[in-house]
Amino acid sequence: LISPWFIPSERGLGVLCTLVKRGVRVRVHTNSLASTDVPVVHAGYARHRPRLLACGVELHELRPLVHRLARLRPGLSSGASLHSKAVIVDGQFVLIGSMNLDPRSRLLNTEVALQIESAQLGQQLGSLFDEATALEQAFRVELAEPGNPAAQLRWESMEGERAVRYTSEPLASGWRQFFV
């Protein structure tokens, strides 16, 4: 699942967790606080991370291009945000469109999506997902104690050849963290 603005409803959270319980691997790629172009949306997503992770959903957040961060105006666009929206199911069913997975898109916006059944396209998008969520490109969000939604979050990534771990919103300025 790829969505720049990902705020699951209670029902959506239940569906994702039920899929994991049934043995389905559920992976989500969304913006990090440092890469999002709308920090307040990140706040809506952030409150769901512990429950998603505790039930086994894999979360990946886009890693911003660090050299762009210095040129930003406080609270505005990161200059490097994810904007694709797609869902890939079983490597052959693809849903691509304009809808973010958040309440505004679900309830207010006029959105469009195209459902495509194509193993070739599903495999290509799956490969692109794998590239986009590699630790050089994205943060892997985890719980310090797997399965415990009260545990501290941590973000795993790579900087060059070095594995790094963050214990607070990585590469996000103090201003962004305060704003959110």
Side-chain angles (χ1 to χ4, degrees):
L1 191 152
I2 305 164
S3 182
W5 298 343
F6 176 63
I7 306 173
S9 64
E10 283 300 314
R11 181 176 175 204
L13 201 142
V15 167
L16 294 174
C17 290
T18 298
L19 286 170
V20 171
K21 285 179 188 171
R22 289 184 18 210
V24 175
R25 184 177 185 198
V26 177
R27 300 185 297 163
V28 176
H29 185 42
T30 192
N31 278 305
S32 64
L33 178 56
S35 70
T36 188
D37 56 349
V38 184
V40 72
V41 173
H42 186 81
Y45 152 70
R47 66 188 170 97
H48 295 289
R49 284 187 298 207
R51 289 175 54 202
L52 287 161
L53 292 166
C55 79
V57 172
E58 297 175 33
L59 297 179
H60 305 271
E61 297 178 357
L62 179 68
R63 189 183 160 90
L65 298 174
V66 178
H67 67 277
R68 292 184 182 177
L69 293 177
R71 299 182 303 194
L72 300 179
R73 290 177 287 162
L76 297 180
S77 175
S78 69
S81 69
L82 176 69
H83 202 71
S84 301
K85 294 111 175 156
V87 177
I88 308 156
V89 179
D90 294 338
Q92 69 180 26
F93 299 99
V94 177
L95 186 67
I96 299 175
S98 63
M99 183 176 175
N100 291 295
L101 296 173
D102 71 338
R104 182 182 175 105
S105 290
R106 209 169 31 253
L107 303 172
L108 298 175
N109 293 355
T110 302
E111 304 289 354
V112 65
L114 182 62
Q115 180 181 338
I116 304 163
E117 185 174 348
S118 168
Q120 182 179 5
L121 180 60
Q123 290 172 357
Q124 288 173 339
L125 284 174
S127 292
L128 289 172
F129 184 97
D130 291 341
E131 280 180 42
T133 58
L135 292 178
E136 296 81 14
Q137 304 295 320
F139 302 108
R140 182 178 57 228
V141 188
E142 298 177 336
L143 292 169
E145 299 171 36
N148 178 0
Q152 181 179 21
L153 292 179
R154 61 184 184 200
W155 290 258
E156 305 285 334
S157 190
M158 293 291 291
E159 291 181 5
E161 299 292 318
R162 187 173 59 96
V164 292
R165 174 180 290 161
Y166 298 90
T167 56
S168 64
E169 298 281 357
L171 306 181
S173 69
W175 171 251
R176 270 189 173 238
Q177 291 183 42
F178 173 77
F179 181 74
V180 168

